[in-house]
């Protein structure tokens, strides 16, 4: 089983590329952001507790996110592999994640970090907001706050996996197809 973390700032293309990897390789895909948005849309207690964080562009609390991922892993032990999109977002999450994955005998194989300039990130998120109607993708102030939090809190997770020789930077500019080809050239090494 292959376990890949797709990493990058908001708007880097993680979700788009994860969907393509699922189609090509048959991997399971967990997007913590998508799970949280589903919970909010469903009006669940988890969704209500997360709504304020999302509206401000802030990260979900570690304990809630780790619990969601642990539940997901219980249901997806026997597949071809997993794509983790939007997780881990803090070093504390990465440490808990590594312990959880090691205990299951399925460690993280690599972290693919989609590298995209900030202005292109903002442009992509605003376009996504127009297409999807997501409120958190239509306010430039909220978007900049999300990117600032990523740079301050989340980007350091790359260093955590770099120390394990698992961080692989990927040029996240160009067409969706060009980026996907770059990713597949790396993924194929792990299959």
């Amino acid at each position: 089983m292959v376990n890949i973390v797709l990493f990058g700032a908001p708007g880097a293309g993680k979700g788009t590329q994860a969907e393509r990897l699922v189609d090509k390789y048959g991997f399971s895909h967990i997007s913590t952001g998508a799970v949280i948005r589903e919970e909010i849309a469903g009006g669940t207690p988890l969704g209500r507790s997360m709504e304020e964080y999302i509206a401000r562009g802030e990260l979900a609390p570690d304990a809630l996110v780790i619990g969601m991922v642990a539940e997901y892993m219980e249901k997806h032990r026997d597949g071809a592999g997993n794509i983790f999109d939007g997780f881990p977002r803090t070093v504390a999450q990465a440490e808990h994640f590594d312990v959880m994955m090691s205990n299951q005998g399925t460690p993280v194989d690599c972290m693919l970090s989609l590298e995209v300039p900030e202005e292109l990130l903002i442009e992509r998120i605003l376009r996504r907001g127009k297409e999807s109607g997501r409120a958190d993708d239509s306010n430039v102030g909220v978007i900049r706050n999300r990117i600032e939090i990523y740079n301050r809190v989340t980007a350091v997770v790359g260093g955590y996996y770099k120390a394990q020789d698992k961080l692989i930077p990927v040029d996240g500019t160009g067409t969706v197809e060009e980026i996907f080809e770059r990713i597949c050239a790396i993924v194929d090494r792990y299959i």
Side-chain angles (χ1 to χ4, degrees):
M1 173 181 288
V2 177
N3 291 299
I4 298 170
V5 174
L6 274 181
F7 191 65
K14 299 178 298 292
T16 299
Q17 296 301 331
E19 289 173 11
R20 295 176 70 97
L21 289 167
V22 167
D23 289 343
K24 179 171 181 168
Y25 296 101
F27 295 149
S28 297
H29 170 222
I30 181 169
S31 165
T32 54
V35 171
I36 290 168
R37 285 188 295 277
E38 287 172 17
E39 296 288 330
I40 290 170
T44 67
L46 173 62
R48 287 192 299 275
S49 69
M50 297 307 306
E51 205 160 15
E52 289 183 27
Y53 294 99
I54 300 300
R56 293 189 304 260
E58 296 178 1
L59 295 178
D62 287 346
L64 289 176
V65 177
I66 291 166
M68 286 188 319
V69 173
E71 186 176 311
Y72 167 85
M73 288 305 298
E74 282 296 316
K75 297 174 184 173
H76 296 89
R77 290 179 180 251
D78 300 322
N82 295 295
I83 301 293
F84 296 91
D85 162 8
F87 181 84
R89 288 191 179 179
T90 67
V91 171
Q93 287 179 5
E95 291 169 347
H96 281 89
F97 185 50
D98 277 358
V99 169
M100 179 178 65
M101 297 298 279
S102 292
N103 287 344
Q104 294 181 14
T106 60
V108 170
D109 291 290
C110 66
M111 173 184 267
L112 303 179
S113 178
L114 296 172
E115 306 294 324
V116 180
E118 185 171 323
E119 289 310 310
L120 181 55
L121 294 171
I122 294 169
E123 180 184 312
R124 286 178 178 178
I125 294 170
L126 288 171
R127 183 174 45 240
R128 180 175 73 190
K130 287 179 185 173
E131 293 168 1
S132 71
R134 280 179 48 185
D136 61 322
D137 283 348
S138 59
N139 181 312
V140 174
V142 171
I143 293 167
R144 287 194 187 281
N145 186 51
R146 287 165 57 197
I147 293 170
E148 189 276 324
I149 290 171
Y150 170 83
N151 289 332
R152 183 172 35 86
V153 178
T154 305
V156 298
V157 177
Y160 174 83
Y161 283 103
K162 183 177 183 176
Q164 298 178 34
D165 289 326
K166 293 182 179 183
L167 177 69
I168 303 171
V170 177
D171 179 0
T173 63
T175 67
V176 171
E177 292 76 21
E178 289 168 340
I179 299 164
F180 187 62
E181 286 177 20
R182 292 179 203 128
I183 291 171
C184 289
I186 298 165
V187 171
D188 288 343
R189 295 184 225 158
Y190 293 92
I191 295 180

